[in-house]
Amino acid sequence: MAAVVLLAVGAVRLWSPDVSAAQDDPGQAPKTTSAEGGAAGAAPGGGPSPTTRAGRASDRPSPAASERGTPPKPKPGDPKPGTSPPKPAPKRVDLGPGRFSAYCQHLGWEWVEYRASPTPGAYCVMRKGQTMLLTTAQRDRGCQWRYNDPRARHYWKGKSNYCYTTR
């Protein structure tokens, strides 16, 4: 078992006339040489001696890796560089009632009202009886104009105009 450990850590046994002569003498332990050429004896526990372990090439960074300047490989689960953590979902915040009368006047009409006929919805009305049904986009623009928020949107609360935004 100790011989397997020696081979696994990189110690190499060199066969030379000096080593084979040492084997002929049973009182003398065979000499081992590390992969870098330094002679070292086996440690008492059967593993490589401390000088052999410190001299291994695998313990030092290779000059090619340090010259390249490559970053270490990321571990699985690490966030990618340049990415931020996920943001929480936007929340809906009520801004208040639509009150599009001022927006209708801004468009050149007189006031806004909810009507059930000819179709339910918000209308800008002239005193002479003309009506203009506000489209969804116009109602959204009315909320944006009133609350000075580009993300403001219109919604119905019963038969009333209300505005909300997302934050």
Side-chain angles (χ1 to χ4, degrees), residues 90-135:
K91 293 181 181 179
R92 181 176 166 160
V93 179
D94 280 350
L95 294 173
R99 294 188 184 144
F100 293 148
S101 295
Y103 179 67
C104 283
Q105 290 172 359
H106 173 74
L107 295 177
W109 292 76
E110 292 190 14
W111 72 84
V112 67
E113 64 183 37
Y114 176 85
R115 284 191 175 181
S117 65
T119 58
Y123 289 82
C124 286
V125 180
M126 288 271 208
R127 289 195 192 273
K128 297 176 187 172
Q130 293 178 326
T131 60
M132 174 179 64
L133 176 65
L134 294 175
T135 65

Side-chain angles (χ1 to χ4, degrees), residues 92 94-100 139 143 147 153-158 160-164:
R92 181 176 166 160
D94 280 350
L95 294 173
R99 294 188 184 144
F100 293 148
R139 291 190 305 261
C143 286
Y147 291 101
R153 298 288 179 258
H154 171 268
Y155 75 100
W156 292 106
K157 189 172 184 181
S160 300
N161 296 297
Y162 275 83
C163 300
Y164 74 93

Side-chain angles (χ1 to χ4, degrees), residues 7 31-33 50-51 67 73 81 92 100 124 136 149 157:
L7 293 176
K31 294 182 181 178
T32 59
T33 306
T51 57
E67 289 172 6
K73 293 184 180 180
R92 181 176 166 160
F100 293 148
C124 286
T136 304
D149 184 353
K157 189 172 184 181

